[in-house]
Amino acid sequence: MDNQPSSDAAQDAVAKSVLSEELLTRAVSLQSELQRFANHLREAYDGYFQNMPMYMYTSFASELRAELDSLEKATQSTDPLASHRVQSTNLPFLEPVWDTAKRSRDIVRLRCPVSAGPFKKQILAPGTRIVRTQGESQPSQSGSFIIDVIADGGHSWYKVSSMTNKRLLFDLAKEAVYLGDSDDDEDAQAVLQDDMDIPLLKLARRLASTAKGHRIQTKTPVAILVLPRIREREHPEIDKVLEACRQLGVSLLCSDDLSPAPPLSDSLLHTMAPSPKANFSEVLNLDTSLLVTLASDFSHTNVAKQPWFSNSHNDHADLESEQPMLSLVYPMLGNHKLVATKEAVETFFHITDTLATESEKARAHLILCRSDVEKSQEQRVKELNLLSIHEVPLCLQLPISVVDMNENGCQDRFTDPIKMKLKSIPNPGRSVFSYGWASERTTLTCNSVVIKQLEKDLEQLPTLGDLPWPSIWAFPSSRPFVGIPKDTRKRVRKHIGDCSVTCTCGIDELYGRLDNITIV
């Protein structure tokens, strides 16, 4: 009999050791899956204009790493408190968060802190409007709220709770709430109206109010409360509280609603985080900044820094040495047919005539058809290869076709409010982005500033009607023309009116004898 206590203690120690090892194994498995997710994100978002993959999972990864470290120490420790740390691990919460992510589509972020208000007006939520951004929602001194999984491009907000039936009944008893067995909604409404200390109801209320303070593609995110340890239709009191949560505008997913999380696979990863490239249109619309990039010496040669270079020139030389721009551009272009609006091309050639080096001008005439000289696609690719240190893909569709921004009357799709918002974009950008949007063609650009402004402008509209949001890919940087020093640069002057026979505008008289002036 004297050996009984020591025997019980030994069995208890063995049980705790087994539990520690089991939890550690689960944590290692979860971390392995998260690493696969991270690797997939890097591939899916390669070349995207912001370092989105890092933001999407780092908060969750940090919490998981902390739990993993704690469990590793606990399994190796002889400290009696180690077992307590094991029992208080947060892993049983992180696992259903990850399971929720695995059931989701187009994840924006895991464990994302957002502003909890108060809101004077709706603010931009994290997600995809035109491109994937963090929006305007930032944790503040006035309060923040963590959304466990933001999915569906930002339209679905999932909050996971570890609440159990037993704990919820305890909370109700503590508040001396007896809802009875009535089938009407009056009792549930009373829960809504009274300021009762029911944690689940308070969580639902905060989730609903936070979601209502945000906006994604002119809509409010859908608030979803995930309750994997709550079972409905077992206790009328619990069902009343759940109904009260729904009346707040929160959707609920209880244990009976949740199917087992699917095993992680390549197919599932593409569902959880589809590549933005997957939705490219067959025909791609290029803006002026990308046309310049395709002709620039920075992109095609090893440019040595010159004394006359501006800070911007030096920065682009450094960026190019870190990652060649064409290594990002060519995979995006693939074998797609390429087009550019008349306004974008005119601006491009104006810049070319004014700033470009001879080699940049030669490339400009290869990627676009400016003269009557007919060259095949193969010929243009071959000649472009001779002007580049980078191999030009044989499938590159040259020359880029020039299109009218209102091709087939596509601009008629826009409502007057949309047209007013587009007017804020100066040309040639307006022609580029409005054409791409109206014709439902993906626009490729290096101008992320205009995109961010367009997103904000469109979010101010009550709705876009039946129009899908614009499809745009923004590169992380651009490459300007290397150009020539200002003191040797030729300036361009244009005739005013019809001076094809005799100059009547006076341009020839003013500038005809100057070597650094080109008259067109």
Side-chain angles (χ1 to χ4, degrees), residues 31 43 56 63 90 119 132 177 217 227 259 281 309 342 350 354 358 362 379 381 385 401 431 446 454 487 502:
Q31 187 184 51
E43 180 181 343
M56 291 172 70
E63 292 182 58
N90 203 35
F119 303 101
R132 179 68 53 86
V177 178
Q217 290 190 337
L227 304 168
S259 57
S281 58
F309 272 13
K342 177 183 175 184
H350 177 70
T354 308
E358 291 306 312
Q379 203 172 352
V381 169
N385 250 320
S401 301
S431 75
C446 303
L454 180 59
D487 55 355
T502 303

Side-chain angles (χ1 to χ4, degrees), residues 412-481:
D412 295 340
R413 302 182 66 191
F414 294 140
T415 61
D416 288 340
I418 290 176
K419 289 178 181 177
M420 288 298 296
K421 294 298 183 184
L422 289 171
K423 280 185 178 179
S424 66
I425 304 174
N427 264 324
R430 185 190 316 148
S431 75
V432 172
F433 295 115
S434 65
Y435 166 75
W437 188 12
S439 62
E440 295 191 21
R441 289 175 171 172
T442 302
T443 298
L444 273 58
T445 179
C446 303
N447 193 348
S448 60
V449 175
V450 172
I451 295 174
K452 290 178 181 179
Q453 186 57 52
L454 180 59
E455 285 184 324
K456 289 184 179 181
D457 289 344
L458 295 182
E459 281 284 22
Q460 294 171 6
L461 298 174
T463 177
L464 299 186
D466 296 331
L467 270 180
W469 277 64
S471 171
I472 300 177
W473 176 275
F475 289 99
S477 63
S478 62
R479 297 292 182 268
F481 284 139

Side-chain angles (χ1 to χ4, degrees), residues 62-216:
S62 296
E63 292 182 58
L64 178 58
R65 181 70 256 178
E67 293 302 317
L68 192 56
D69 289 344
S70 177
L71 289 169
E72 286 175 342
K73 290 177 182 178
T75 56
Q76 300 167 5
S77 174
T78 57
D79 183 355
L81 294 177
S83 61
H84 174 73
R85 287 195 293 269
V86 168
Q87 291 174 342
S88 62
T89 178
N90 203 35
L91 184 64
F93 167 74
L94 296 178
E95 287 175 321
V97 170
W98 181 240
D99 286 346
T100 301
K102 288 163 65 175
R103 296 188 195 97
S104 302
R105 305 177 66 88
D106 196 6
I107 294 170
V108 173
R109 197 165 171 188
L110 304 177
R111 298 287 287 159
C112 178
V114 297
S115 173
F119 303 101
K120 293 181 180 179
K121 62 176 184 178
Q122 284 187 315
I123 59 177
L124 302 186
T128 302
R129 292 165 185 81
I130 297 174
V131 292
R132 179 68 53 86
T133 66
Q134 296 302 310
E136 299 172 327
S137 188
Q138 297 292 335
S140 62
Q141 292 182 350
S142 60
S144 63
F145 189 75
I146 294 179
I147 307 300
D148 294 317
V149 179
I150 296 180
D152 295 320
H155 290 273
S156 298
W157 283 14
Y158 293 92
K159 184 67 179 175
V160 179
S161 171
S162 299
M163 181 67 65
T164 63
N165 286 43
K166 183 178 179 180
R167 177 55 196 254
L168 184 51
L169 287 172
F170 174 80
D171 291 334
L172 289 169
K174 188 172 67 173
E175 285 294 303
V177 178
Y178 300 99
L179 298 178
D181 296 325
S182 173
D183 291 331
D184 60 35
D185 292 333
E186 293 180 3
D187 295 328
Q189 190 64 38
V191 175
L192 279 171
Q193 293 173 349
D194 295 341
D195 185 20
M196 295 177 177
D197 188 21
I198 304 174
L200 183 63
L201 191 58
K202 291 168 71 174
L203 179 66
R205 183 177 288 111
R206 197 167 183 212
L207 174 61
S209 64
T210 302
K212 289 173 184 175
H214 289 76
R215 187 176 179 89
I216 177 75

Side-chain angles (χ1 to χ4, degrees), residues 242-432:
L242 297 180
E243 180 58 29
C245 292
R246 292 187 175 100
Q247 289 184 23
L248 290 168
V250 175
S251 298
L252 301 184
L253 291 175
C254 299
S255 60
D256 293 341
D257 305 313
L258 298 171
S259 57
L264 197 65
S265 63
D266 289 343
S267 175
L268 182 65
L269 286 169
H270 284 286
T271 300
M272 294 169 66
S275 170
K277 313 177 193 89
N279 295 321
F280 274 19
S281 58
E282 184 177 344
V283 178
L284 300 180
N285 174 41
L286 312 188
D287 82 335
T288 304
S289 67
L290 191 55
L291 297 178
V292 172
T293 293
L294 286 169
S296 170
D297 282 343
F298 280 117
S299 301
H300 290 275
T301 64
N302 291 320
V303 176
K305 294 182 180 180
Q306 302 298 320
W308 58 270
F309 272 13
S310 66
N311 290 336
S312 176
H313 277 76
N314 289 327
D315 289 343
H316 284 290
D318 291 337
L319 286 170
E320 184 64 22
S321 65
E322 293 170 7
Q323 182 171 33
M325 185 67 182
L326 293 178
S327 69
L328 302 178
V329 174
Y330 283 155
M332 296 299 104
L333 301 184
N335 62 353
H336 290 269
K337 181 182 178 182
L338 309 175
V339 300
T341 63
K342 177 183 175 184
E343 292 81 358
V345 172
E346 287 177 348
T347 302
F348 168 68
F349 276 120
H350 177 70
I351 298 171
T352 303
D353 293 337
T354 308
L355 299 176
T357 63
E358 291 306 312
S359 56
E360 288 171 334
K361 289 177 181 177
R363 292 189 204 97
H365 286 81
L366 289 173
I367 65 174
L368 284 154
C369 229
R370 195 181 193 186
S371 63
D372 294 333
V373 179
E374 289 293 332
K375 292 183 180 180
S376 67
Q377 182 266 345
E378 294 84 359
Q379 203 172 352
R380 289 174 184 273
V381 169
K382 183 178 179 180
E383 292 186 25
L384 188 58
N385 250 320
L386 297 174
L387 295 170
S388 181
I389 63 172
H390 304 294
E391 185 175 353
V392 181
L394 295 176
C395 63
L396 185 63
Q397 296 300 300
L398 299 179
I400 298 164
S401 301
V402 182
V403 294
D404 187 292
M405 65 176 288
N406 194 30
E407 183 181 62
N408 299 322
C410 61
Q411 304 280 332
D412 295 340
R413 302 182 66 191
F414 294 140
T415 61
D416 288 340
I418 290 176
K419 289 178 181 177
M420 288 298 296
K421 294 298 183 184
L422 289 171
K423 280 185 178 179
S424 66
I425 304 174
N427 264 324
R430 185 190 316 148
S431 75
V432 172

